[in-house]
Amino acid sequence: MHIRIGAFDWSLAYKWIEIPDYEKQRRKSNIDPVRNPVMWGGIFGISRSFFNSLDGYNQTLQMSGAGQNIEMSFKIWLCGGTIETIPCSHVGHLFRNRNTAAQLFNSESLMNYAAVAHMWLDEFKDMHFKKVGFVALPQVNDSVGHLALRKRLQCRSFFWFLRNVYRDLYTPLLAVASGKIRSQVKMSSASEDKASICLALIDLGSEKKLGVSKCDSSDDKNELWTLSRTGEIRQGDDCLDFPGVSLIIYPCHGGRGNQEWTYKEDGTIRQVGTKRCLTLSPDRSFLTMEQCFASDRQTWHWRRNSAGEELQVVTEKQIAVKQELAKVNI
């Protein structure tokens, strides 16, 4: 029996993913319920009293099929419930002729998703607005009503959701490491050129490649990388990928495999599957993957984000959310 679960990216677009390892480990058998971060939305069973306590579907969302399932999922998880797929259940469904889900990025649906982000994503809502390209944050209806609901039901934060429910969602704020990846080797052995060498994403328009360059003194975005909690070395939606011959930049797929890396205490960056190390060529002009050995060419400096730093960044932003909730009268 092949079961996939509901998920989303920062655009809040629904997608199907394989059951993550941590959920497989939680289950004792193949017939145990499978926890879903979000549900498809058209078919689900729920206690009537619990549904009513959540104020049902959000009546301020204007368009069917564009965000109501995501918003209901957040309400359920954050306000005391769980969403599970029951493997041995069977439900029929008739789809309507008009596919509103295909209209994800029209103006009306964008406002729906913006409202969901404002109401439930807390300090992470900027991730949504950057993903969909909002320059100015849109005005949202009934935000006070949802703040009152969250206060009345003592709903959890979205940070809790990322920590306990959808742990694989790529979140730069929660990256294991971030910033420039600098080689232990300098540009030249000559005394006049001791500049650092950095990994860089080279955008050629039709394709993107991995390269090395003299580290820019500014925060050049092409030199800024994050190591996700699932081992991806990322710039936005692009990941460092090693399919076995050469290093490439490939869209992040979330399936680990060729895109799963670890940054070791000795400064090496290793692909988990092959156990090979990211290596600077002897002439300092390109990158290869080689067997790991004690070498400056395999030693990289990358800022690690400790759990304390990570929590401090998020907690400071949560303070504003809690202050806003405290102002609401219910």
Side-chain angles (χ1 to χ4, degrees), residues 55-86:
D55 290 348
Y57 277 112
N58 186 339
Q59 299 301 313
T60 67
L61 301 184
Q62 299 300 312
M63 180 181 179
S64 174
Q68 290 92 338
N69 60 315
I70 303 292
E71 204 257 353
M72 176 58 70
S73 299
F74 291 163
K75 282 204 290 191
I76 290 170
W77 274 112
L78 298 180
C79 303
T82 60
I83 300 173
E84 297 177 334
T85 294
I86 311 301

Side-chain angles (χ1 to χ4, degrees), residues 275-294:
K275 297 181 173 59
R276 292 186 182 181
C277 281
L278 183 67
T279 308
L280 184 67
S281 65
D283 66 358
R284 306 176 176 89
S285 65
F286 62 94
L287 295 160
T288 62
M289 292 294 293
E290 299 180 14
Q291 295 299 320
C292 300
F293 54 90

Side-chain angles (χ1 to χ4, degrees), residues 308-327:
E309 287 180 275
E310 170 190 306
L311 287 170
Q312 182 179 358
V313 169
V314 176
T315 301
E316 287 174 352
K317 294 190 175 184
Q318 284 182 324
I319 290 172
V321 176
K322 290 179 179 178
Q323 289 174 338
E324 191 174 4
L325 281 169
K327 297 175 183 176

Side-chain angles (χ1 to χ4, degrees), residues 92-151:
H93 181 248
L94 295 176
F95 285 94
R96 63 184 69 193
N97 292 330
R98 186 169 65 93
N99 183 10
T100 55
Q103 304 173 29
L104 172 64
F105 293 116
N106 68 23
S107 59
E108 191 174 18
S109 62
L110 280 173
M111 289 304 298
N112 269 18
Y113 288 103
V116 174
H118 262 298
M119 295 170 187
W120 297 103
L121 300 195
D122 300 334
E123 65 273 20
F124 297 94
K125 63 186 177 184
D126 288 346
M127 296 290 299
H128 170 72
F129 298 126
K130 289 176 182 177
K131 179 73 174 178
V132 299
F134 272 119
V135 177
L137 300 187
Q139 296 297 314
V140 175
N141 296 326
D142 197 33
S143 59
V144 173
H146 275 73
L147 287 173
L149 172 71
R150 294 185 68 169
K151 187 172 182 179

Side-chain angles (χ1 to χ4, degrees), residues 30 34 38 121 135-136 145 198 209 211-212 216 245 249 265 300 311:
N30 289 334
V34 185
V38 291
L121 300 195
V135 177
C198 279
K209 292 185 176 181
V212 293
D216 194 290
V245 178
I249 299 297
E265 293 297 328
W300 303 93
L311 287 170

Side-chain angles (χ1 to χ4, degrees), residues 142-161:
D142 197 33
S143 59
V144 173
H146 275 73
L147 287 173
L149 172 71
R150 294 185 68 169
K151 187 172 182 179
R152 172 168 56 83
L153 297 179
Q154 297 183 326
C155 301
R156 298 182 174 99
S157 69
F158 197 72
F159 179 54
W160 175 89
F161 180 87

